[in-house]
Amino acid sequence: MKNNIYKIGTTLIVSCLIACNIISCKKDTLLNKTPITSLDNTKALKTEADYTALLNSAYDPFQWQVYNGPQTHMFPVMWQDIRADNCISQWASYWTFGAVLDDLTKIQANNTNITAMWRKWYTAISRANTAINFISTYNGFTTPGLKERLLAEAKFVRAFSYFELVKHFGDVPLIVTYIGSTSDNLKFPRTAKADVYSQIEKDLGEAYPILPANYADVSDKGRTTKGAALTLLAKVELYQKKWDKVKTYTEMVMGLGYQLEANFADNWSLSNEYGKESIFEIGYQSGIYNNAFESPDAFKNQGSASYQMFGFIPAGTGAFGNSVPRQQLIDLYNSSDQRKDATFIIPTTYLPDLGQTGFDAGTQYYHYYWTNPDALVSQASMRKYYIPKSVAKSLSNLGSDPLNEKVFRYADVLLMHAEASIMGAGGDGLGSLNQVIQRAYGNASHNLSTYTLADVKLQRRLELATEGWDRFTDLVRWGDASSALAFKHFTVGRDELLPIPQAEIDIVGSNILKQNPGY
């Protein structure tokens, strides 16, 4: 959120202070102390504002893109677009983990990026569990409905985090209770994926009736809404092939007033964040904490590092361009499809802030991979992460830019509705699909009279390319991963999932936390 919700400064740390005059204290007073094994919330949690801040801290990990220094990257686009068939890293000699994403056989359990992602989502879960525990027992709320809303938001955070974990790891430890003491059980085995999904459904089913459709106060923009909870619920059912439920939940979202932006590119405009198509997005704001995005404490950043990591490189900005759209993806777009120009920067792309076409190899745009003929897959960059050169140059740190990250858009809901319909749930799936297609072309000239699942697959790829939330796991749930990712040496029975981090297994024990097959 652009405002106060994700700020790490709101995170509550319960501290115990021991006041003692060392000179006058007796030896026994200093040495005979009862160990502190649990947290005391009475000092920090006294008002409803404190409990709101506690909930805010649960959102905070959503912003994390890099954790604990260089080469611990958690950008969603890595796991969904580069790991799949939309992009290639092409920086094997510079970005070591990129070589791993380009060859799936190199993904191993000791990968620090995978460990960081695992810990990111479990941090959010832990904070959500803590918020639920303390908020549910506090009776001092004076604002009507605030207690119930905060609990609903916390359940969304927990549900979203578990969905990301189960998509990438399969069975994962299910922890839904507050852990506040060292005497609590700290070692959990993996829970069957079906049971994790059941808990997600329970959390969202309890949350969406309570959450508001929108927030009147601008400072609350980016909080979880009814639409966000229902969209996540629809996606959870999509991944389980519960088509009737997908239809039900998507149609509930369709009744909430969301609309497609007439101009597809407006979804990524700095002047149109939280627009009419946006259902849930991760907000960023530059300048609150502006350390380098690969510094040891980079998770404190309030700005996004996506532009510097993946963005186009107009002269002098310092972006890395660590992800290259495959030419095969670019060629899927019809030349009259407005999504092509809004998704890619290619040599003929006109950029208004530069007053010229996108770049030329000699001056405006330079990638190291251009010097390697074997790596020259496309002369392109990802435009959805682009910020104007004037904005880039105004930042005190390019790794902390203000562009929000779209998580759920209304177009995704329409595409899920179309998929559920063609898979037997009924409803006007064709109408939903044609809304997406018609917006892409600006008229009905490319609308379909009938459609198949292949049409839905194509439109999901064209619409959502490089956004980082579904491409790899879409291929897996469709059963298409082995053929689509043969060029990345996809191994059936192994590469559908990431390995459980070895660092976690070492802590918990291999007899408790079992590894995924093939690792």
Side-chain angles (χ1 to χ4, degrees):
M1 279 145 262
K2 285 279 191 243
N3 309 291
N4 300 317
I5 302 170
Y6 285 139
K7 291 180 184 176
I8 285 190
T10 63
T11 304
L12 297 179
I13 301 174
V14 181
S15 61
C16 296
L17 302 177
I18 300 175
C20 181
N21 186 323
I22 296 178
I23 296 176
S24 62
C25 284
K26 295 181 179 180
K27 180 179 180 181
D28 288 347
T29 305
L30 289 171
L31 299 181
N32 297 326
K33 291 290 184 181
T34 302
I36 298 172
T37 60
S38 60
L39 297 178
D40 179 4
N41 69 300
T42 60
K43 294 181 176 65
L45 301 174
K46 296 181 178 181
T47 68
E48 65 177 35
D50 294 334
Y51 286 88
T52 300
L54 181 64
L55 181 276
N56 291 349
S57 74
Y59 280 104
D60 178 62
F62 283 26
Q63 282 187 330
W64 295 359
Q65 298 170 319
V66 175
Y67 182 78
N68 212 22
Q71 301 304 317
T72 51
H73 300 141
M74 300 175 289
F75 299 91
V77 71
M78 290 166 40
W79 311 105
Q80 292 286 1
D81 285 283
I82 304 178
R83 182 172 158 220
D85 55 349
N86 280 347
C87 303
I88 297 179
S89 73
Q90 294 295 353
W91 280 65
S93 62
Y94 173 78
W95 184 33
T96 305
F97 187 62
V100 176
L101 293 169
D102 289 341
D103 181 354
L104 302 182
T105 64
K106 296 180 180 179
I107 294 180
Q108 299 296 332
N110 63 354
N111 188 293
T112 56
N113 300 269
I114 294 171
T115 302
M117 181 173 67
W118 173 280
R119 291 176 178 175
K120 164 182 175 169
W121 295 121
Y122 272 111
T123 299
I125 289 165
S126 176
R127 293 183 182 185
N129 287 341
T130 300
I132 290 169
N133 177 77
F134 288 121
I135 292 170
S136 63
T137 57
Y138 178 64
N139 297 316
F141 285 96
T142 58
T143 302
L146 179 60
K147 177 177 183 177
E148 293 74 17
R149 196 201 80 201
L150 294 179
L151 289 171
E153 289 185 64
K155 290 175 182 178
F156 172 87
V157 170
R158 183 166 68 185
F160 185 92
S161 302
Y162 269 121
F163 183 55
E164 286 301 303
L165 285 166
V166 83
K167 278 164 52 177
H168 291 294
F169 297 98
D171 301 348
V172 293
L174 182 62
I175 308 168
V176 294
T177 57
Y178 165 64
I179 299 175
S181 171
T182 57
S183 62
D184 293 341
N185 176 34
L186 302 176
K187 297 182 178 181
F188 295 85
R190 298 173 68 177
T191 300
K193 181 168 66 173
D195 293 332
V196 179
Y197 274 132
S198 293
Q199 179 62 46
I200 295 172
E201 291 167 337
K202 180 176 184 293
D203 276 344
L204 295 172
E206 293 172 354
Y208 83 77
I210 295 169
L211 291 166
N214 50 62
Y215 292 88
D217 192 329
V218 68
S219 68
D220 287 325
K221 289 291 186 182
R223 288 191 179 278
T224 305
T225 61
K226 187 184 301 293
L230 285 168
T231 300
L232 178 56
L233 193 48
K235 189 158 287 193
V236 167
E237 309 299 12
L238 182 82
Y239 274 70
Q240 298 178 88
K241 298 180 170 59
K242 297 180 180 179
W243 306 115
D244 289 344
K245 290 186 176 181
V246 177
K247 173 182 177 292
T248 296
Y249 294 131
T250 51
E251 289 182 352
M252 290 174 72
V253 178
M254 291 160 69
L256 292 176
Y258 295 102
Q259 300 177 50
L260 297 178
E261 298 283 354
N263 181 5
F264 179 78
D266 285 348
N267 283 296
W268 295 275
S269 168
L270 280 167
S271 62
N272 190 44
E273 295 184 322
Y274 307 115
K276 63 184 180 182
E277 187 171 338
S278 175
I279 296 176
F280 186 68
E281 57 190 79
I282 298 171
Y284 292 97
Q285 184 173 352
S286 178
I288 298 174
Y289 185 91
N290 240 9
N291 211 338
F293 88 95
E294 289 194 318
S295 67
D297 55 354
F299 61 91
K300 294 180 181 179
N301 272 11
Q302 297 304 302
S304 171
S306 291
Y307 176 78
Q308 184 168 19
M309 188 67 173
F310 302 120
F312 170 64
I313 312 176
T317 64
F320 297 155
N322 275 348
S323 181
V324 184
R326 294 181 67 214
Q327 191 63 46
Q328 185 262 4
L329 171 64
I330 298 170
D331 290 343
L332 288 176
Y333 291 80
N334 185 292
S335 60
S336 58
D337 186 339
Q338 66 166 296
R339 294 174 298 190
K340 183 175 184 178
D341 189 56
T343 303
F344 311 108
I345 298 175
I346 59 178
T348 57
T349 302
Y350 180 78
L351 297 173
D353 62 304
L354 297 180
Q356 63 181 64
T357 55
F359 54 86
D360 65 76
T363 57
Q364 284 296 324
Y365 191 83
Y366 181 78
H367 270 122
Y368 292 134
Y369 64 78
W370 279 23
T371 65
N372 178 1
D374 294 332
L376 190 58
V377 177
S378 72
Q379 295 182 358
S381 185
M382 303 193 300
R383 192 169 188 177
K384 291 177 181 177
Y385 298 93
Y386 182 72
I387 55 175
K389 186 176 180 179
S390 59
V391 175
K393 284 192 166 293
S394 72
L395 300 175
S396 59
N397 187 325
L398 185 61
S400 187
D401 82 72
L403 184 64
N404 287 2
E405 184 173 16
K406 294 292 191 294
V407 180
F408 298 144
R409 293 191 288 112
Y410 185 52
D412 192 359
V413 173
L414 294 172
L415 290 165
M416 288 193 289
H417 184 251
E419 185 171 347
S421 179
I422 199 66
M423 296 304 292
D428 185 16
L430 178 62
S432 295
L433 186 62
N434 277 336
Q435 283 189 60
V436 174
I437 295 172
Q438 184 165 329
R439 190 266 298 273
Y441 292 95
N443 55 57
S445 61
H446 287 75
N447 281 14
L448 303 175
S449 56
T450 61
Y451 76 107
T452 66
L453 179 59
D455 294 313
V456 176
K457 291 180 179 181
L458 175 61
Q459 292 304 320
R460 276 192 72 80
R461 190 177 187 189
L462 297 176
E463 182 73 23
L464 304 174
T466 75
E467 292 179 39
W469 294 103
D470 287 290
R471 179 57 184 171
F472 183 91
T473 48
D474 272 350
L475 289 171
V476 170
R477 69 181 179 85
W478 287 327
D480 295 341
S482 61
S483 57
L485 305 181
F487 75 107
K488 292 208 173 187
H489 310 122
F490 183 95
T491 300
V492 175
R494 176 190 188 269
D495 291 324
E496 292 87 351
L497 300 173
L498 291 171
I500 304 299
Q502 188 61 46
E504 295 299 310
I505 293 176
D506 291 343
I507 293 170
V508 176
S510 59
N511 60 321
I512 298 174
L513 191 58
K514 305 292 185 181
Q515 185 55 273
N516 276 325
Y519 294 102

